[in-house]
Amino acid sequence: MENTSIKEIKNLFPDEWVLLGNPTMDESQIDVISGVPIFHSKDKKEVCYLGRTMTDNFKTVTIIYAGNIKKIRTNGILRRL
């Protein structure tokens, strides 16, 4: 199992949730730079439940979405509140 960059992960698993082992974070500790792909699926719950049995060999794990998250539209009424 090799560390894979986020760019490669997004190419390998487009529009899927990916469980990563031993993720490498940027300086802000917010964005993931790379990690070891453990499990992937279009269904986030499937990644959470089926993937958790595969995390024993990793010190830390995280879940990322390898796609673009759609913007939530708001009504003009809600913007005024």
Side-chain angles (χ1 to χ4, degrees):
M1 293 184 199
E2 287 186 25
N3 233 9
T4 308
S5 73
I6 288 299
K7 186 176 181 180
E8 291 176 80
I9 291 169
K10 288 184 177 189
N11 287 333
L12 290 170
F13 314 112
D15 300 322
E16 291 191 29
W17 291 95
V18 183
L19 178 63
L20 295 178
N22 297 335
T24 304
M25 308 296 278
D26 67 354
E27 294 95 27
S28 67
Q29 295 296 309
I30 295 174
D31 295 319
V32 179
I33 298 172
S34 65
V36 178
I38 302 171
F39 188 77
H40 62 92
S41 173
K42 291 203 179 275
D43 184 2
K44 185 178 181 181
K45 289 181 183 179
E46 185 177 15
V47 172
C48 292
Y49 293 115
L50 297 179
R52 79 176 157 189
T53 61
M54 303 173 193
T55 61
D56 292 340
N57 298 329
F58 299 95
K59 185 177 178 180
T60 58
V61 294
T62 192
I63 296 174
I64 63 161
Y65 183 67
N68 296 322
I69 297 176
K70 297 175 185 174
K71 288 186 176 182
I72 298 171
R73 293 185 179 196
T74 58
N75 279 339
I77 296 169
L78 295 177
R79 277 188 244 151
R80 286 185 247 149
L81 297 176

